[in-house]
Amino acid sequence: LEPQSKTLPTTKEKHIHVELGDRSYKIIVSGSEVTNATQAIVRMADQILDVLSDLTHAVILGDEAVASSVSEPLERELSGRKIRVSAAQIPSGETSKSVAELARLWEWMLSAGVDRRSVVIAIGGGVTGDLAGFAAATYARGLRVVQIPTTLLSMVDSSVGGKTGINLPGAKNMVGAFWQPSLVIADSITLNTLPDREYVSGLAEVIKYGVIEDPDFFHWLEVNIQSLICRDSGALREAISRSCESKARVVGDDERETSGRRAILNYGHTFAHAIEATAGYGQLLHGEAVAIGMQMAASLAIALGRADQNLLDRQTRLLVQSNLPIKFPEANVPGMLEIMRRDKKVEYGKLRFVLPTKIGHVELVGNIDESHVVAAIQAHV
Ligand SMILES: NC(=O)c1ccc[n+]([C@@H]2O[C@H](COP(=O)([O-])OP(=O)(O)OC[C@H]3O[C@@H](n4cnc5c(N)ncnc54)[C@H](O)[C@@H]3O)[C@@H](O)[C@H]2O)c1
Ligand SMILES: [Zn+2]
């Protein structure tokens, strides 16, 4: 039986090639203008089989939040094509990135007869991608994995770059591996069920790419932010693909975070991590903390004479239009400093930050006095 989707128009897809030598792979960004949900699943199956033509055993590891909308329909579609499918659900939430959940998956994979030719299909946000990706990286010394991100954050960030892993109590992302996927399918149709707050949170990382290395994209965002907020699928395809291109460029230069180039992705994140750690668990979503953190970083850059007010104004406008928070009234400044001193970017007791000089360019700046950091926080409380 010929897959029916052969007749579907594919011109609206974008393909991004992530160049990593023999670990190179493709990100396919699709939208919903030309497809309904059923057709989108057929298309996903086509895309998977196109890249992994030898697929005989698919191991679907999906966030329970997308079980009925994505994982189960894809399971039926693949089964209908005579592919053996084993499927397991991952409970929603960060606590699933644990040793216990990883062990449960390993044992389940053993009982499901997973072997080296099996292909893991991770379906969900960054939690699922990190956990299932790490399970794939470790089981039988490494299985191929297809990432199907279903949050905006995971589409533009965690599914690109090959970092996988879990948390230890009190130590986020402490155990993991670089494990590149064979294919990433970012279909914005899967975002239909994503709550607004999660969606908006992902926009912070999208805006980040414009500030750190793509001034044209930042300008595009200024023009198209309303369409993006309405989740217009054309705007989404553009935003997702340009964000992935941006991350792929950075990661391609520095796959394993050795040259320092990859650090620019942490723009706003030194502040954001301190905000997240001091705000109390679940108070702020990651992207919300990143939005506030970018504001603090921009103010710090201005105070150091490295950037002008116009940069902060443009960034502020875009964040506000996106409905992202730009202030952190509950800031516990000593607590934040304490966390920042322990940040990986600290060198010999002096703080280091990724700071913009203009829209589209950031630099890693060391030797920064704490008084400037305090002032930058206080500018956004
Ligand atoms: N590997 C990397 O390079 C990298 C980069 C950035 C972040 N991360 C990790 O990603 C994680 C955060 O990812 P996230 O923001 O996607 O969080 P998440 O995976 O927890 O998803 C957010 C919430 O949305 C739900 N959800 C997911 N898709 C949905 C959908 N389509 N419809 C309805 N609900 C849906 C989830 O169940 C969860 O409740 C963190 O653990 C972070 O460490 C990893
Ligand atoms: Zn982030």
Side-chain angles (χ1 to χ4, degrees):
L1 200 74
E2 272 293 290
Q4 53 191 114
S5 61
K6 283 270 148 60
T7 57
L8 287 177
T10 52
T11 48
K12 300 221 161 172
E13 277 175 21
K14 286 220 168 178
H15 289 210
I16 294 139
H17 180 77
V18 183
E19 178 52 54
L20 292 168
D22 60 2
R23 292 175 310 289
S24 298
Y25 60 94
K26 183 168 67 172
I27 303 168
I28 304 176
V29 184
S30 318
S32 60
E33 297 107 312
V34 292
T35 39
N36 60 35
T38 312
Q39 291 169 324
I41 297 294
V42 173
R43 179 172 60 192
M44 278 180 198
D46 286 350
Q47 290 162 341
I48 292 168
L49 287 166
D50 193 35
V51 171
L52 298 152
S53 49
D54 62 337
L55 178 68
T56 53
H57 183 208
V59 181
I60 295 181
L61 302 178
D63 186 311
E64 61 188 3
V66 291
S68 60
S69 59
V70 189
S71 308
E72 287 161 9
L74 184 61
E75 178 179 353
R76 284 192 293 274
E77 179 62 30
L78 290 172
S79 299
R81 299 186 190 201
K82 305 281 174 283
I83 288 159
R84 182 159 81 91
V85 183
S86 306
Q89 280 184 28
I90 294 168
S92 299
E94 185 72 28
T95 49
S96 279
K97 277 174 58 173
S98 65
V99 175
E101 190 58 28
L102 178 66
R104 187 184 73 88
L105 286 182
W106 280 336
E107 279 158 27
W108 171 82
M109 286 161 93
L110 183 66
S111 69
V114 174
D115 68 25
R116 303 204 55 181
R117 283 155 303 162
S118 308
V119 174
V120 170
I121 303 180
I123 309 176
V127 164
T128 302
D130 281 10
L131 171 69
F134 190 47
T138 46
Y139 192 87
R141 296 194 184 81
L143 306 177
R144 290 172 295 172
V145 59
V146 175
Q147 292 279 0
I148 303 185
T150 66
T151 63
L152 183 55
L153 180 131
S154 58
M155 288 181 183
V156 301
D157 191 351
S158 59
S159 65
V160 192
K163 282 190 183 177
T164 68
I166 57 168
N167 306 325
L168 293 179
K172 202 167 145 55
N173 296 327
M174 192 44 86
V175 177
F178 285 99
W179 192 248
Q180 303 296 343
S182 301
L183 170 68
V184 178
I185 301 173
D187 193 327
S188 66
I189 206 165
T190 65
L191 299 176
N192 285 350
T193 54
L194 189 70
D196 256 321
R197 193 172 165 198
E198 291 287 349
Y199 178 78
V200 165
S201 175
L203 285 178
E205 303 278 5
V206 172
I207 294 168
K208 179 189 79 177
Y209 293 116
V211 183
I212 66 172
E213 68 97 57
D214 193 344
D216 295 339
F217 181 45
F218 191 91
H219 179 67
W220 182 90
L221 286 168
E222 292 180 312
V223 174
N224 293 282
I225 192 65
Q226 291 310 333
S227 316
L228 207 49
I229 289 160
C230 302
R231 309 193 190 194
D232 170 80
S233 62
L236 260 173
R237 186 176 43 247
E238 187 70 13
I240 294 166
S241 54
R242 291 185 77 160
S243 297
C244 289
E245 280 162 1
S246 194
K247 181 155 181 188
R249 273 194 295 273
V250 176
V251 169
D253 287 350
D254 184 17
E255 184 185 2
R256 289 180 173 243
E257 222 161 46
T258 42
S259 75
R261 175 76 182 152
R262 198 165 169 152
I264 73 167
L265 296 168
N266 282 328
Y267 174 51
H269 280 61
T270 302
F271 287 108
H273 292 149
I275 290 169
E276 288 177 292
T278 55
Y281 179 77
Q283 288 292 108
L284 282 171
L285 296 180
H286 175 68
E288 294 170 343
V290 169
I292 300 165
M294 291 196 295
Q295 292 292 86
M296 292 173 177
S299 285
L300 181 54
I302 293 169
L304 296 174
R306 306 181 64 91
D308 61 19
Q309 181 65 31
N310 180 256
L311 177 143
L312 178 61
D313 292 344
R314 287 177 73 189
Q315 179 178 279
T316 306
R317 206 174 309 130
L318 207 41
L319 295 174
V320 169
Q321 287 176 321
S322 310
N323 299 316
L324 280 157
I326 53 165
K327 289 197 179 302
F328 183 45
E330 301 85 28
N332 159 3
V333 180
M336 284 179 66
L337 282 174
E338 191 58 42
I339 304 279
M340 288 192 278
R341 287 189 201 111
R342 278 186 265 141
D343 192 280
K344 279 176 275 192
K345 282 175 291 301
V346 173
E347 216 173 34
Y348 312 117
K350 284 279 191 172
L351 297 168
R352 290 207 289 173
F353 289 86
V354 176
L355 299 180
T357 54
K358 58 182 180 196
I359 294 290
H361 185 77
V362 289
E363 290 167 359
L364 188 59
V365 184
N367 218 9
I368 294 178
D369 221 70
E370 277 193 9
S371 62
H372 288 299
V373 177
V374 171
I377 296 172
Q378 280 166 345
H380 300 283
V381 293

